[in-house]
Amino acid sequence: MGILYGSIFHHSIGNIIKRGTFVMAHLVIVSLLCGLLLHNTAGSSQRWREGQAFTDVAILLSHPVTIEGQTETITVYKNENQSVQFFKALYVSSGGNQRLEFYHPVPEASVVLTANYSTRLTLPGSEGTRAVSGIYTVRVSDTSHDTITTQEMRVIIQRRGARYRPASTHFTVENAGNLSKSLLGVEPDDNILRWRLDGHFYSATFADAQEAMALKTSGVFEGFEAGEYTHYNHAVVNVIVRNCSFTSWGDECSEECPKCFNGGMCSDRTGLCQCPPGVSGQHCEQVHGRNIFGQRGEYQCNENEHIPTCWGSQICYPDPFGCVCPAGYTGLDCTQGLFSSFNKVNPGQSTTITCITDVLDFSGWDMILSRSPNEADATGASGMYEIGGPSNGPGTSRPITVDDAQPTDVYFCLLRQTETNLLAWLDTSFSTYALPVFSATPKVMFRNQTSVTISWKAWEHGIDFGDPPVIAYIPHIREAAYGDWIRGPYLPTTAQPHHSFGNLTTDTYYIFSVSAVRSGTGGEGPRGPVVILKTLCNAPSPPSDIQVRVTHTNLVNVTWKPPAVTYCSTGITSYTIYYYVEGAPGDIESLAAAGGTTTWILVGGPTPGIGYVFSVSSTTDQESNTSLSTHVNIPATPFVITQDYFVLVGASVIGGCLIVIAILTSAAVVILGYLKGRRNNNEDKNVDDASYDAVQDELYEQTEAVEMHYTVTPKTRARDSVSSEEYDYVS
């Protein structure tokens, strides 16, 4: 159809292009392509939205197999935008034949609304098993979109006394060829049965019924003996035939399904994973265990739902999933299943997990212990333990030893016949003891240059983390800068909670911690909070060159020189000045100087007229011995400043100023004399230069006269050409 549309529109567009409307042609092409795309995807999108609307729908059937006098309930879990109708299939006589009509409404009085928007149908057991058992259709209508969409789900209640009992009331297959007589509770060589599909009679063989089933998407398969169709002695199975394989979805089955773990199934309508009871998540990766169901794990069996446990009940989800037993149970009535026990140990130790089954017919089945309930990951999976060959009967248990058990480990007991035929699985709820951990920080009782003593508060259940009983403590030490933790001795809780570490390095930081030990192998917990401290340095040398002077106000000024070497990472942190009245060394007073860089201090308060003895010590992380003592006498009468003192000081200042002025004046005279001498020297030099020029001129004139007297040729010569003899002669 798309090709036909393309040919017609291509011819039309050619005419448009010939008329020069090239741009308009492109717009028309784009519009047509978009229309075709919407035409092809509208149906698929609609079906996807419809499937999405029923994701949260779940049905809890109280008992898939009923007994005489037992009341049954069908509870539908949904959201506030959905409504529910219940129908029961009834056998109707028509033209002498019995046929099955599916849509007979149930009495409205039997339907009540419950909490969380759920709806419950109650089927009183007093009406008998034939009235209660049968095929029910649950129709859920959703009004959250513009149009009302519906989803129908089939629920089957089997009579316990039926002659033929199927392995399950629901099967999901890719085609009807996957069905077998054994699944319907019939032996392969049994040819006495008759077959019906959705109530239509097929008196031919099982193969004929299979062929008819292949023409349908889903239907109710019935196998019964002639003349007993309405006696409820036959097997009834709801067969769901997928539109696509288990690995694809969509209208054309062209979309690839995501990976669905833990027994999940990809919906051929939405492409989403439908998770079995007890499992949730986008890929069914979150395992909840028993009594939990719903695609988000949002529903549970409890007293509020009138079903305290999911044991013996059945959970149904929209097609193609169908109805299955809750997690951990199997069998037609979902009362058979797997159980487990284990020995709880400390983390990292070996333990035994025992898988137990009460399946009545267990021949040909195996039990395995796996780290994953996913059947595809069971065989060959890391950490899987094969239990062994087939069981010999019900009540079989298989103990498995698991090494290096950890708190985060998860194990599952799997009951399977083949690698792909998983009957049931069970989360073992495996756990280990929680190792004890201190919450309080150790305290330092004592330290010196080579040892430290720490103490700790006893571990207390309910305040500190972990499981009791705690039977011992282990102190730990590590050098802060580098090195590994070193374990101290094993100290029973009956001993005092403290320990001394010796042979430590002077002036070095260490880290201390304590771990608690519970009973059992591997019971030591992790180290608790730490305390960091430094061993002490050797005592430093005292200061030297102590000088003590009394000021005019009778304050004592004490100065000193720091030690040449301190031998401590802290350096000198402070100095302490000690002093006492001379002759009374037992009455010592002290004064600390702020900061290790200070080298003097003023000491106030000494009594006038008394002698004192002063000494100084230096401190790093501990104090040195005191320096050599220095004596000083405090004047009896302090020096007092009077008016005469100010006059004397003023005169002294003025006299000093006059001396300075005299010195400056003398300096000025010397400088002026020097400058004057320089000036005279320059004038003398100028006179000498003028005399020299005059002599040179006179010599020139005399030389010319001599030349003229002796008539020398040439008659004239330059002044600078006169010979030295002539110059001397003239001179």
Side-chain angles (χ1 to χ4, degrees):
M1 190 67 177
I3 297 177
L4 178 60
Y5 284 158
S7 299
I8 295 175
F9 291 129
H10 177 73
H11 179 73
S12 301
I13 294 304
N15 294 333
I16 296 174
I17 294 174
K18 290 179 181 180
R19 288 193 291 268
T21 57
F22 182 77
V23 175
M24 183 62 70
H26 280 74
L27 294 176
V28 173
I29 292 174
V30 172
S31 300
L32 293 175
L33 291 176
C34 292
L36 290 175
L37 179 62
L38 293 174
H39 174 77
N40 291 331
T41 60
S44 178
S45 299
Q46 176 68 18
R47 279 182 287 276
W48 185 86
R49 287 195 300 271
E50 292 176 1
Q52 280 280 78
F54 301 100
T55 300
D56 294 334
V57 173
I59 295 177
L60 176 63
L61 173 61
S62 59
H63 300 94
V65 178
T66 187
I67 60 176
E68 192 68 35
Q70 181 173 264
T71 297
E72 305 292 345
T73 60
I74 301 175
T75 305
V76 182
Y77 297 84
K78 56 182 183 58
N79 62 43
E80 66 273 21
N81 297 316
Q82 296 169 340
S83 59
V84 178
Q85 293 175 285
F86 295 94
F87 303 92
K88 184 178 181 182
L90 299 178
Y91 297 105
V92 179
S93 297
S94 176
N97 294 322
Q98 296 287 338
R99 61 184 179 86
L100 192 64
E101 292 185 353
F102 286 94
Y103 297 100
H104 287 265
V106 300
E108 293 184 1
S110 302
V111 180
V112 296
L113 296 177
T114 61
N116 300 323
Y117 310 108
S118 60
T119 303
R120 179 177 294 123
L121 169 65
T122 301
L123 305 171
S126 58
E127 297 182 5
T129 56
R130 292 196 177 188
V132 172
S133 60
I135 305 168
Y136 293 85
T137 299
V138 178
R139 179 182 295 166
V140 182
S141 300
D142 186 270
T143 60
S144 59
H145 300 289
D146 295 337
T147 58
I148 299 177
T149 57
T150 60
Q151 172 76 52
E152 291 187 357
M153 304 165 63
R154 292 280 164 80
V155 177
I156 298 175
I157 301 177
Q158 190 84 24
R159 190 170 68 90
R160 183 173 294 278
R163 182 176 305 172
Y164 300 103
R165 292 164 56 91
S168 176
T169 56
H170 289 73
F171 289 100
T172 300
V173 296
E174 292 184 358
N175 56 72
N178 293 332
L179 291 175
S180 65
K181 290 184 179 181
S182 61
L183 293 179
L184 299 176
V186 181
E187 295 299 326
D189 57 352
D190 192 343
N191 294 317
I192 65 173
L193 294 188
R194 300 294 180 263
W195 307 96
R196 281 183 182 267
L197 178 60
D198 282 347
H200 299 286
F201 176 66
Y202 293 91
S203 59
T205 64
F206 178 76
D208 293 334
Q210 278 185 303
E211 183 178 351
M213 188 69 197
L215 301 177
K216 295 180 62 63
T217 56
S218 298
V220 176
F221 220 116
E222 299 173 279
F224 57 96
E225 289 186 10
E228 294 190 358
Y229 181 58
T230 60
H231 294 177
Y232 297 95
N233 283 327
H234 60 284
V236 181
V237 176
N238 181 38
V239 180
I240 302 172
V241 180
R242 291 176 59 93
N243 295 325
C244 304
S245 69
F246 284 100
T247 59
S248 60
W249 71 281
D251 287 345
E252 304 297 329
C253 299
S254 58
E255 303 291 336
E256 183 179 357
C257 281
K259 180 66 175 178
C260 301
F261 299 99
N262 300 326
M265 179 188 299
C266 170
S267 171
D268 53 7
R269 299 184 66 183
T270 66
L272 302 176
C273 288
Q274 290 182 291
C275 304
V279 180
S280 67
Q282 183 177 359
H283 299 280
C284 304
E285 72 279 6
Q286 299 178 8
V287 179
H288 305 288
R290 299 186 180 192
N291 297 324
I292 301 295
F293 62 98
Q295 292 305 301
R296 293 181 288 111
E298 66 269 43
Y299 310 128
Q300 59 181 325
C301 299
N302 54 38
E303 294 294 342
N304 294 332
E305 298 297 332
H306 304 284
I307 300 180
T309 174
C310 287
W311 177 88
S313 62
Q314 194 177 61
I315 310 296
C316 304
Y317 295 141
D319 293 354
F321 194 89
C323 300
V324 296
C325 291
Y329 301 104
T330 186
L332 181 63
D333 57 2
C334 297
T335 59
Q336 304 174 40
L338 291 171
F339 308 92
S340 68
S341 64
F342 63 91
N343 297 327
K344 194 171 184 178
V345 296
N346 293 323
Q349 306 307 306
S350 297
T351 186
T352 299
I353 299 178
T354 302
C355 294
I356 307 169
T357 179
D358 61 356
V359 175
L360 298 179
D361 184 8
F362 195 43
S363 59
W365 292 84
D366 284 336
M367 282 190 298
I368 65 173
L369 183 67
S370 173
R371 291 186 184 273
S372 170
N374 192 308
E375 53 190 319
D377 295 338
T379 301
S382 174
M384 187 203 76
Y385 301 89
E386 191 71 40
I387 293 181
S391 169
N392 295 323
T396 299
S397 62
R398 302 286 177 135
I400 301 298
T401 299
V402 176
D403 297 326
D404 189 24
Q406 297 296 331
T408 55
D409 287 346
V410 178
Y411 291 95
F412 299 89
C413 292
L414 305 184
L415 182 61
R416 66 178 189 176
Q417 189 173 36
T418 64
E419 293 183 3
T420 58
N421 188 4
L422 183 66
L423 178 60
W425 59 266
L426 172 68
D427 179 357
T428 65
S429 300
F430 174 79
S431 64
T432 61
Y433 289 111
L435 297 178
V437 181
F438 277 109
S439 59
T441 303
K443 297 184 180 299
V444 179
M445 297 180 63
F446 169 81
R447 66 167 174 165
N448 60 19
Q449 288 86 344
T450 58
S451 67
V452 173
T453 300
I454 62 170
S455 65
W456 55 89
K457 182 182 177 182
W459 185 91
E460 186 175 352
H461 180 55
I463 296 178
D464 295 306
F465 176 80
D467 290 329
V470 169
I471 60 175
Y473 304 107
I474 299 178
H476 301 261
I477 183 174
R478 182 172 73 89
E479 191 170 336
Y482 58 89
D484 299 325
W485 283 101
I486 300 175
R487 293 162 54 90
Y490 182 92
L491 302 175
T493 53
T494 55
Q496 292 297 321
H498 60 76
H499 177 69
S500 296
F501 291 94
N503 298 321
L504 305 182
T505 303
T506 301
D507 192 23
T508 303
Y509 279 94
Y510 288 91
I511 304 176
F512 301 89
S513 182
V514 180
S515 61
V517 183
R518 71 173 312 278
S519 60
T521 305
E524 181 183 355
R527 291 179 296 273
V530 301
V531 59
I532 304 175
L533 74 155
K534 186 180 71 66
T535 54
L536 297 179
C537 301
N538 292 321
S541 301
S544 61
D545 194 17
I546 308 301
Q547 301 291 330
V548 181
R549 295 179 179 86
V550 180
T551 67
H552 63 277
T553 57
N554 276 10
L555 296 176
V556 179
N557 182 21
V558 183
T559 62
W560 60 87
K561 290 183 179 180
V565 182
T566 59
Y567 300 108
C568 189
S569 60
T570 63
I572 299 298
T573 58
S574 66
Y575 295 96
T576 304
I577 292 80
Y578 295 92
Y579 60 98
Y580 59 90
V581 175
E582 190 170 6
D587 190 12
I588 300 177
E589 297 188 51
S590 63
L591 178 67
T597 59
T598 303
T599 57
W600 66 274
I601 191 171
L602 288 174
V603 181
T607 304
I610 298 178
Y612 284 85
V613 178
F614 285 84
S615 61
V616 183
S617 69
S618 55
T619 301
T620 52
D621 56 12
Q622 59 181 327
E623 190 176 1
S624 71
N625 296 325
T626 57
S627 63
L628 295 176
S629 300
T630 301
H631 302 260
V632 66
N633 291 319
I634 309 300
T637 303
F639 182 76
V640 180
I641 301 176
T642 63
Q643 183 176 3
D644 294 337
Y645 172 77
F646 283 109
V647 173
L648 179 61
V649 171
S652 300
V653 172
I654 294 173
C657 292
L658 293 176
I659 293 172
V660 171
I661 293 172
I663 293 172
L664 293 178
T665 303
S666 301
V669 171
V670 172
I671 293 172
L672 290 175
Y674 171 75
L675 294 176
K676 183 176 180 181
R678 286 292 303 269
R679 176 181 176 187
N680 293 335
N681 291 337
N682 289 336
E683 290 177 354
D684 293 341
K685 184 177 182 297
N686 293 334
V687 173
D688 292 341
D689 290 341
S691 300
Y692 175 78
D693 291 338
V695 172
Q696 290 290 337
D697 291 337
E698 183 180 357
L699 178 60
Y700 180 75
E701 292 174 357
Q702 291 178 3
T703 301
E704 284 184 343
V706 172
E707 287 177 349
M708 291 177 62
H709 178 73
Y710 291 99
T711 63
V712 179
T713 300
K715 295 181 178 180
T716 62
R717 57 171 45 172
R719 179 174 60 182
D720 55 357
S721 299
V722 178
S723 64
S724 58
E725 294 81 1
E726 293 172 336
Y727 184 84
D728 293 337
Y729 169 76
V730 174
S731 300

